[in-house]
Amino acid sequence: MPTVGVNRDLLFSALECTYTEDEFNSLCFEFGLELDEVTTEKQMISKEQGEDKSEGASEDVIYRIEIPANRYDLLCLEGLARALLIFQGKMKIPHYKAVPPASGQIQKILVKPATAKVRPYIVGAILRDITFTKDNYKSFIDLQDKLHQNLCRRRALVAIGTHDLDTLTGPFTYDAQVPKDIKFKPLNEVKEYTAEELMDLYSSDSHLKPYLQIIKDKPVYPVIYDQNGVVLSLPPIINGDHSRITLETKNVLIECTAVDLYKAKVVLDTLVCMFSQYCKEPFTVERVEVTQANGRKSVFPELIYQQAVVSVNEINKRLGINENSTTVVELLKKMSIHSTIVEGKKGGQTSKISVSVPPTRHDIIHSCDIMEDVAIAYGYNNIKMSIPHTATIAEQCSKEDISDKLRRTNGTSEAVHIANPKTIEFQVARTTLVSGLLKTLQANKKMPLPLKLFEISDVVLKDNTRDVGAHNERRLCAVNYNKSPGFEIIHGLLDRIMQLLEICYGKEKDGYFIQTAEDPAFFPGRCANVVLRGKNIGKLGVLHPEVVTAFDLSLPCAVLEINIQPFL
């Protein structure tokens, strides 16, 4: 989980209360967070860069707080303090509004067709009549940096630009041009450079160098101009110095260019919701109109309140609690979520609740996320422990499970390794479902034969073409454990699956077939590849005796494992 560092005194000022370290730690725990470390800027620099580098650094106390990776609204002091105040009942839930400009003249951004070659999307918004202080300005910049590193994937998906609107003249143009034709004075520089020259200038800059490769080899670079030809930014590298923001800035234009429109909307929503509290009319933001290259017009930010209906009875069942609908509404209110009772019998046990998810909570995508918020507000420690009706045993994956035990010497070559695993069971993300099913057989081998198990779930594989270096693959795996292997049973299962999916047998273009294969995990001569539309999607066969005994089993076992992504 990411760790956010906030100034303790500023946080306590925002919370309108002073806490001891233990008291604040308890508050974080109740809200589902963790106070990870209490330090200072000087101590952090000394620890990371050496004591000589920390001279002159601030000695203000910093609270480093662990937050969930998908809670982008908690990445800054403003969002964290607001959430805790609402949780404690000290603040009403704000309503975030996107409003038209008071002047009646909406700011516009025109997208040129050439942007499709490099970075096709742009969204925008205006924070009108904002008041900056030294502290909230620093927080404004810090949130952008955190979003860039987190949700924006180091600017590869989304890049944020913020500008003093009063120094610019709209409408704006989002274009893509050859590097030598783009010339402007970048932020904190004293002269103009072409975009081509900037690539050389920043090649030795520790902060900007990592972002150069995003566009360096592209035939054109994205660029944003105002009506007078002033360059606002060269995304995702740097903003122009002309529109730089200062503490005197009153109107802020925010633009986010992206290769993923959805993430650009999330980034924009997060920024404006967090800092619109400093506007003259708090929690309002002015819309910007974007005209795509095809002429389609959209206005941003959307600030959509997602609507959902959840069952109180289902919440009680899943969480192991017994609360009425009125209490559940109050619990959701503590988590910054508006909800109302829409129907139900007396007592609320069959009530339905209408939930309005604010634009700050893009982490809520399913009813189970709403249930999680109810659980946090209720307090995990307040949920009574009970024994499940079904006893199951689940284990994590170790290197041995996917390599040595399966007789695959290179079994970990495509595995994603977990840094600093707490136990050997958490060393790698699983690359096969076979190991897990064999462990389940091992835990249930006293049950009557035959044992037939299956699982449909994800494995994680290395993938250098992805920005995260890995990808998930949905697979189906089935095992037959009996006194005889039952290869024909597994083969029959494959045929039945294909029949239901309306895939015919044969080597035709859209057909499937099996062909002899060799795999150290399988008995020689009893292994086959499953081929679909000319591509290998998995294997079936009888496991090698050494694999069976490695998992503390004593009877033959037939296995089928296939990638089901092609069918989705």
Side-chain angles (χ1 to χ4, degrees), residues 10-11 14-15 73-74 76-88 91:
L10 292 177
L11 179 60
L15 292 174
D73 58 310
L74 302 180
C76 62
L77 181 146
E78 287 72 14
L80 183 63
R82 190 182 309 161
L84 291 174
L85 284 171
I86 295 170
F87 182 73
Q88 295 174 297
M91 177 182 177

Side-chain angles (χ1 to χ4, degrees), residues 80-365:
L80 183 63
R82 190 182 309 161
L84 291 174
L85 284 171
I86 295 170
F87 182 73
Q88 295 174 297
K90 296 179 178 179
M91 177 182 177
K92 292 183 178 180
I93 303 172
H95 184 77
Y96 306 97
K97 295 188 296 183
V99 298
S103 65
Q105 296 294 317
I106 191 169
Q107 290 289 354
K108 299 179 181 180
I109 301 176
L110 175 64
V111 180
K112 294 290 188 178
T115 57
K117 299 177 183 177
V118 57
R119 207 172 184 86
Y121 304 112
I122 187 169
V123 297
I126 295 170
L127 293 175
R128 188 69 77 170
D129 290 321
I130 193 170
T131 300
F132 279 123
T133 64
K134 182 180 178 182
D135 292 324
N136 68 23
Y137 176 77
K138 182 177 183 297
S139 182
F140 185 55
I141 301 302
D142 285 347
L143 177 58
Q144 293 176 56
D145 288 340
K146 289 183 175 71
L147 288 171
H148 274 148
Q149 298 302 313
N150 185 346
L151 178 61
C152 302
R153 298 284 169 81
R154 296 178 64 81
R155 305 190 190 182
L157 297 183
V158 185
I160 307 164
T162 54
H163 313 276
D164 187 334
L165 182 61
D166 295 330
T167 67
L168 302 166
T169 306
F172 304 95
T173 302
Y174 178 42
D175 201 357
Q177 300 178 351
V178 294
K180 63 182 179 62
D181 292 340
I182 303 171
K183 190 172 184 178
F184 68 106
K185 185 168 80 169
L187 196 63
N188 300 324
E189 296 293 341
V190 295
K191 69 173 187 176
E192 291 187 337
Y193 294 86
T194 65
E196 201 172 44
E197 292 169 337
L198 287 177
M199 291 295 126
D200 294 329
L201 178 67
Y202 294 137
S203 62
S204 58
D205 186 294
S206 60
H207 176 61
L208 296 176
K209 182 180 178 180
Y211 311 124
L212 301 184
Q213 52 84 25
I214 299 174
I215 62 169
K216 190 172 184 179
D217 296 327
K218 302 289 185 182
V220 291
Y221 290 178
V223 61
I224 305 172
Y225 295 99
D226 80 347
Q227 187 182 47
N228 299 322
V230 174
V231 173
L232 279 70
S233 66
L234 179 74
I237 309 302
I238 196 164
N239 292 339
D241 192 72
H242 180 90
S243 57
R244 69 182 300 159
I245 294 176
T246 67
L247 295 182
E248 285 70 46
T249 296
K250 300 304 295 180
N251 301 301
V252 178
L253 170 66
I254 302 173
E255 44 83 6
C256 301
T257 57
V259 296
D260 186 318
L261 181 58
Y262 172 74
K263 285 188 169 55
K265 293 177 184 179
V266 174
V267 169
L268 187 65
D269 283 354
T270 302
L271 265 178
V272 299
C273 287
M274 293 304 101
F275 286 89
S276 56
Q277 76 175 62
Y278 299 118
C279 292
K280 185 176 181 180
E281 187 178 350
F283 307 116
T284 63
V285 57
E286 186 177 310
R287 287 192 171 109
V288 169
E289 181 182 281
V290 175
T291 303
Q292 303 295 341
N294 61 7
R296 181 169 175 248
K297 295 183 179 180
S298 306
V299 290
F300 301 101
E302 294 178 343
L303 296 186
I304 294 173
Y305 278 77
Q306 299 287 349
Q307 305 300 315
V309 176
V310 294
S311 164
V312 173
N313 188 49
E314 190 69 15
I315 290 173
N316 283 328
K317 177 183 176 182
R318 297 297 180 189
L319 300 183
I321 61 178
N322 185 27
E323 298 297 328
N324 60 37
S325 53
T326 302
T327 302
V328 173
V329 167
E330 288 301 312
L331 290 174
L332 287 171
K333 183 178 177 181
K334 293 180 66 175
M335 302 305 292
S336 306
I337 298 175
H338 281 290
S339 58
T340 55
I341 303 169
V342 291
E343 61 178 71
K345 295 180 181 178
K346 189 175 181 181
Q349 291 308 302
T350 59
S351 291
K352 296 291 181 67
I353 290 179
S354 176
V355 176
S356 181
V357 181
T360 54
R361 296 299 306 276
H362 286 279
D363 59 299
I364 296 180
I365 57 178

Side-chain angles (χ1 to χ4, degrees), residues 1-2 31-33 66-72 74-75 150 372:
M1 295 196 297
F31 190 64
L33 308 177
E66 275 195 5
I67 67 169
N70 57 356
R71 287 298 301 270
Y72 313 118
L74 302 180
L75 285 171
N150 185 346
E372 182 183 20

Side-chain angles (χ1 to χ4, degrees), residues 389-458:
H389 295 297
T390 304
T392 60
I393 295 177
E395 295 187 37
Q396 301 300 320
C397 199
S398 68
K399 293 179 183 178
E400 188 181 34
D401 289 340
I402 61 173
S403 57
D404 297 346
K405 286 187 177 181
L406 293 179
R407 303 180 73 246
R408 292 171 176 167
T409 55
N410 63 342
T412 59
S413 62
E414 60 178 0
V416 174
H417 293 247
I418 298 169
N420 302 317
K422 292 185 178 180
T423 71
I424 61 171
E425 300 298 334
F426 289 86
Q427 291 175 318
V428 291
R430 62 182 179 181
T431 58
T432 177
L433 302 182
V434 174
S435 300
L437 287 182
L438 292 179
K439 285 186 172 184
T440 304
L441 287 176
Q442 176 188 340
N444 293 275
K445 60 185 179 181
K446 293 183 180 180
M447 298 292 288
L449 297 174
L451 292 179
K452 299 179 180 180
L453 305 175
F454 78 93
E455 180 180 5
I456 297 175
S457 191
D458 283 8

